[in-house]
Amino acid sequence: MGVIKKLPVYLEKIPGGNIVTTTLDYVFSQSRASSLWYLLFGTACCAIELMATGASRYDFDRLGMIFRASPRQSDLIIAAGTITKKMAPRLKLLYDQMAEPRYVIAMGGCTVSGGPFYYDSYAVEKGIDHIVPVDVYIPGCPPRPESLLEGCLTLQKRVKRMKIRDWS
Amino acid sequence: MSEAQGLHTKEFTLNVGPHHPSTHGVCRFVLQMEGEVITSVTPVIGYLHRALEKICENRTYEQIIPITDRFEYCTAMSCNMGFSLATEKLAGLEVPERAEYLRVIMLELNRIASHLIWFGTTSLDLGAITPFLYGFREREDILDMFEMTCGQRLTFNYIRPGGVSKDIPKAFIPVCKKFLDAFSAKVDDYERVLTENPIFIARNKDVGILKPETAIAYSVSGPSLRASGVKYDLRRDDPYSIYDRFDFEIPTRENGDCYDRYIVRIREMRESAKIVRQAIEQIPEGPIRSKVKMNFKPPAGEVYCRVENSRGEMGFYIQSVGEKMPLRVKMRGGSYNQLQVMPVLCVGHKIADLVAIMASMDIIMPDVDR
Amino acid sequence: MERNQLVSYIKNKFQDTVTLLESGKGESFFQIKPEDLLVFSRAIRDDERLGMDWLSCISGVDTGERFEVVYSVASVVNRIRFNYKLVLDYDKAEIESVQKIWPGANWHERELWELYGINVNNHGNLTRFLLPDNWDQGHPLRKDWDAPDFKRMPEK
Amino acid sequence: MKKLVDAIRNLVVGLFTTGKHLGRHAVTLQYPTQKWEMPERSRGIVVLLSDKESGELNCTVCMLCMRACPTGAITIEFEKDEKGKRILKDFIVDNGICCFCGLCEEACNFAAIKMAGKYEFSTEDRETLIWHQDRLQEIGRGVPYEKPVRKKPAAKPAAEPPNAGDGPAAAESAQPEVTAVANPPGDAVITKPGQPAESRPAPEPPARPDENPIEGDDGKSAEDQK
Amino acid sequence: MEITEIFKYLYEQLAASGLPQVWVDIVALACAGVIVFGFLAVVALFLVWWERKVSAHIQQRFGPMRTGWHGWRQTIADAIKLLQKEDIIPTLADRPVFFWAPVIAFVAAFMAYITIPFGDGLIVADLNIGILFIVAITSFTVISLLMAGWGSNNKYALLGGMRSAAQVVSYEVPMVVAICSIVLFAGSLSMVDIVQSQAMIYQWYLFRLPFGPIAFIIYIIAGTAETNRTPFDLPEAEQELVAGFNIEYSGMKFAMFFLAEFINMFTVSAIGTTLFLGGWQGPFLPSWMWFLGKTLFLVFVLMWFRWTYPRLRVDQLMEFSWKFLLPISFANLILAGLMKYSGWFNW
């Protein structure tokens, strides 16, 4: 993994080098985008919509996304449902356990900014972007399965734009 | 430390964490284990405590309905119903006939949808992945009907104090009839895959036996109570709304293990389909909501109202002082007491049984944490 | 057993300890004094005509000048339901635990303590379970409670 | 022995039940290529409606929707001109806080705000979820709605169930009551332009509820209709 | 058209090139190994894709659709993505054990193919103790599961590792006894002889009543338990042990475990076809196509089990194996013995 990151630097020197890097970029980002394995993580009502999206009518498997139980093997957390103050450190712990190219989708109003529990609630985190870096926000309470699929497509476009050079 | 075979074994604690595939929502169990056998279970909750009751103290009655939607999202209709019924008793509002029928139709459809979620997660927790998807396939048809009438799939904001918010469109009844005709065949499909399956029976028979006295002592309600042989169903014993006009039986079983809870819920799905069918035939024409002002102020007083939803008795206690916002709203979910009974049931079983018992009790966390 | 039969039966069985608050809407409400909570609860559970063996829930209320604790009970055998409540002053907020009578009351009482600060004697496990472990901002459901990051809905 | 036989029999029956689904057509709606025709009342995203001809907003800054919103997602900035009439400066809806309950749509008597059936608004940064007046109006351009016919207040429906225990009259005078809504059987049916084609791929799936021509929204405007 | 002529022709070219005989054999066997490895890697990728499509269509949905026609490039995309994932080794993990566990799993899965006849003459090395070698190798995977369980220093992984060791060992015994009843009839341990003894369709051991079908059923049940698949997938039971022994593995290590599981499944079906369904015997098509068809049918049956049945508990699993499967397989063996030496049935 480390050696791949240093590849573009060496390839610059060879005359046809950047053609190789662009094809490598294309291959890696395409494969990374079309096989996002999401972590089975759902807290509140959005978790039911996440399950409904995984079911037969709005099939997640079509986009190549299967659910994994352990954070080590998954590269996408769909934060579905309200993240309370007691749950926030757990979400951070899970995010840290994931292997490096990892993404976060904030599904539903509660994860974007606290949703219906923004005012008058003493126990809800106002949005999760100060806990984990979020890639895509999906409004809705709970968002329809189609808007979740559309959010995943937006994430796939974002992953396809990623180049080897800016791998973290 | 069991020194039985001269081995020096030590109990070890296992943390079935808040993020765990089989804890519905976010519930954490701290298990003391000896090898595979559980010696003690302490549930740790609070990971989904969203302070709903504090929010309700700063909202008008009309605005609380969307908050109750999120109180128990699998059966949001019965939360709306509980709160609206309590407000109607408080303010003495009458509900027009057609609204009562619409409410019963929506409540029973929501019960079927919630039982389908339970059916899916139970089979998923025991390892059979396919029935989960079959269950959700039927549930999508019900959600289409809900979306047709009130616009949302899960958080309906449909039943209001004094009636219902919108009338059903013309296309609703034919679609509902078509669903009901196909539904009993689908439930037979589920039964064929799981009910007599020897592996399923081996996993559920005599696992997590809940004796009737413990169930009543721990205030367990709903299908879990009826599976222990106690025939107590609010729709029959304290007939709120117009449940006394429909004939349906209350399925009960005797020895209260996971398998009986499964059978009771499957039969309840069929009963609810029967109620919806009768309600569709008898629905009259007429107004769907009685006159309720925008910031309506009920008179001072307090009321406690109970509704039977798919996880047991759902109670709403409202105390109002004549303001447009209630002084206190206490929500009581069915799973709150069922989670208290879990440690009593799980001792002596294995981890796999803890998962099976948790799935069969149909415990979801918003009830418990509010 | 009809509601008014129930009300009259309870009135003549516990003349002095019980005052009827209201029984017009839905279930009837009674009020008892905090000290004879245990005696009253045990009596209504063991009375064969009443047999209230199923505690639905215990709701704490902060009315701005005093606490109230409302017990909603039901009888699975005789199919009857009613509620009774105690009134507590702010400084003397403590009640007896009814766990011996209804084991299901364990978590309800824990919640009373955690969210309202009403002390429950010989409860056995009065620890924090709904709020985060490092919670140090008092009892949130009280009317006079406030916290630095607690946003109230702006008055429109 | 008998228990063994029917155990094996059921294992085989279970196999055939799942097996027979192999032949059946899938019920999947392949989202990006096939989209489902949303029912008329589906609560998607809040939009501001504008008059078809003149193109300016229907909103008369009566602030009812802001009061009705349970989560405080709507904030309205306005200033008074010389005649004391309110002019709308900015109409902000924070989609991160909105809970899509539709109470604002029911509170508005001028059909200025509506929940459109659109749902494709995922973004990569949070600020774009806070919509201002121009974005709300532009998204609300194509949303069909029924113009409420101004009803003379005198013609209140006679059969009005007495609302026992009605609290003192609400402070706001412009507060019309949500009167009993009779569901007039077979009233003027407003058909939607062109029956939406059956876009579902599978012949067998449940009949998608074609949009129902009866003005399906809440009792409010039905009562105005009368 | 038989592929064996090509190999013969290549072998003569190699022999004619004047290398000493020892080197010729080494090069030939190395090429055979590389070809088998390549073939199996492709088969493993195909099986992963096929499992997702079969499971999708059983559940009335489409499997992967967006990567190529019906998603055929999906597994390649998964493999490349896993290639570039960060390789996490938990801090307190037992490093060497943690590192070598997937390698052993991968190697053990491939070594079983030395004596499996892919077609008439298409066999790497026709050992005369063929089936004994295979059975020994397949029980090699237990070590990798135990190492993975112990190495990742995680309670769940430890539980998963223990369970899988107990399960594979306890299902090894009925499987071997079922195979013995076949070997008893075939009269030789070598796989090629077993296949040759099932020349005609009525000579398949599956149809050798009464002991054939029973041995086949016992073999299939033990086979599913061997590859940790439902209804015996205790070790990586998502619901109970989060992800069982491979909870701490990410990136290429996890990919190795993932592919090893699918190759094990292919091995179990391949042995099943050679023992019970007459290996490559078949009327018209070339021999290797018959072998592939029958194996993929058995793989389909294994997948079908996975998407229908719930999961057994650990003690029920043990009980089922020792108290039910083993006595029946012994009785079956005695029955086969009686039939063999009563002389009525040796067609």
Side-chain angles (χ1 to χ4, degrees), chain A residues 43-104:
Chain A
T43 44
C45 352
C46 289
I48 305 284
E49 284 296 84
L50 186 66
M51 287 202 280
T53 320
S56 296
R57 171 171 291 181
Y58 309 98
D59 187 5
F60 248 146
D61 202 3
R62 236 168 2 89
L63 309 176
M65 299 169 73
I66 36 175
F67 66 90
R68 296 306 306 171
S70 138
R72 290 276 192 252
Q73 292 134 22
S74 45
D75 36 46
L76 160 68
I77 277 196
I78 299 182
T82 322
I83 304 291
T84 59
K85 286 191 174 124
K86 198 171 183 178
M87 194 60 192
R90 294 286 166 154
L91 177 62
K92 184 81 181 107
L93 190 72
L94 280 174
Y95 182 74
D96 297 342
Q97 283 175 353
M98 283 164 66
E100 191 28 57
R102 51 193 173 187
Y103 311 99
V104 175

Side-chain angles (χ1 to χ4, degrees), chain B residues 128 130-131 193-194 197, chain D residues 14-15 18, chain E residues 58 303-310:
Chain B
T130 317
V193 173
L194 273 187
N197 192 320
Chain D
L15 265 183
T18 44
Chain E
I58 280 188
M303 287 185 196
W304 203 0
F305 284 166
R306 171 166 189 189
W307 300 104
T308 325
Y309 292 130

Side-chain angles (χ1 to χ4, degrees), chain B residues 79-295:
Chain B
C79 309
N80 296 358
M81 178 66 173
F83 185 79
S84 311
L85 214 57
T87 327
E88 277 146 22
K89 278 190 185 144
L90 202 61
L93 297 170
E94 296 88 32
V95 181
E97 271 304 295
R98 185 173 173 86
E100 289 284 9
Y101 276 92
L102 286 178
R103 282 181 172 184
V104 165
I105 292 172
M106 292 302 161
L107 279 171
E108 291 310 315
L109 281 177
N110 202 245
R111 189 190 310 279
I112 296 176
S114 163
H115 278 330
L116 285 174
I117 293 179
W118 156 80
F119 174 76
T121 38
T122 308
S123 69
L124 196 68
D125 286 352
L126 295 181
I129 301 159
T130 317
F132 167 78
L133 292 146
Y134 292 161
F136 268 72
R137 176 191 57 196
E138 264 60 64
R139 189 172 163 270
E140 288 292 330
D141 305 340
I142 299 181
L143 296 189
D144 288 346
M145 285 192 253
F146 285 142
E147 177 134 28
M148 218 181 352
T149 39
C150 55
Q152 268 285 353
R153 291 162 51 90
L154 212 61
T155 51
F156 311 112
N157 189 11
Y158 180 64
I159 298 180
R160 302 287 173 73
V164 273
S165 67
K166 294 189 174 84
D167 201 346
I168 47 173
K170 286 240 171 342
F172 181 85
I173 293 194
V175 166
C176 198
K177 280 208 171 74
K178 188 171 171 318
F179 167 75
L180 289 174
D181 303 343
F183 185 63
S184 55
K186 296 280 172 38
V187 181
D188 299 343
D189 247 2
Y190 305 156
E191 301 242 30
R192 237 179 271 122
V193 173
L194 273 187
T195 307
E196 292 101 18
N197 192 320
I199 304 170
F200 188 78
I201 293 176
R203 277 296 295 276
N204 278 329
K205 202 63 146 169
D206 305 333
V207 170
I209 292 174
L210 181 63
K211 289 190 290 303
E213 315 77 41
T214 0
I216 292 176
Y218 275 87
S219 320
V220 170
S221 56
S224 312
L225 183 67
R226 290 193 282 277
S228 306
V230 180
K231 195 176 175 73
Y232 179 70
D233 185 331
L234 281 171
R235 294 176 293 175
R236 183 50 54 81
D237 304 333
D238 165 16
Y240 55 92
S241 167
I242 46 169
Y243 273 105
D244 39 20
R245 293 188 197 153
F246 307 108
D247 70 351
F248 58 97
E249 310 103 25
I250 312 285
T252 58
R253 294 273 296 189
E254 269 52 52
N255 47 23
D257 56 7
C258 288
Y259 190 65
D260 284 357
R261 288 189 275 270
Y262 165 84
I263 296 286
V264 162
R265 284 202 174 86
I266 290 279
R267 290 221 189 103
E268 256 186 27
M269 273 205 261
R270 294 180 193 270
E271 294 306 321
S272 298
K274 232 172 17 171
I275 296 176
V276 175
R277 194 182 290 279
Q278 292 165 35
I280 288 185
E281 267 105 28
Q282 304 164 4
I283 187 162
E285 290 302 325
I288 58 166
R289 190 165 180 204
S290 69
K291 194 178 80 52
V292 169
K293 289 200 9 298
M294 183 68 173
N295 292 340

Side-chain angles (χ1 to χ4, degrees), chain C residues 59-121:
Chain C
S59 331
V61 184
D62 176 0
T63 56
E65 67 273 344
R66 56 196 178 125
F67 281 131
E68 287 174 9
V69 181
V70 181
Y71 290 76
S72 324
V73 284
S75 156
V76 168
V77 180
N78 310 335
R79 309 278 194 274
I80 43 176
R81 287 156 283 281
F82 70 90
N83 315 281
Y84 60 95
K85 74 177 188 183
L86 333 159
V87 173
L88 306 161
D89 303 338
Y90 271 145
D91 42 22
K92 205 158 58 43
E94 85 179 343
I95 51 170
E96 288 305 312
S97 162
V98 288
Q99 264 188 58
K100 310 273 175 313
I101 305 160
W102 295 297
N106 182 341
W107 279 10
H108 292 276
E109 285 163 348
R110 236 171 118 182
E111 196 188 317
L112 272 187
W113 170 78
E114 182 170 29
L115 298 182
Y116 278 98
I118 301 171
N119 206 332
V120 183
N121 301 344

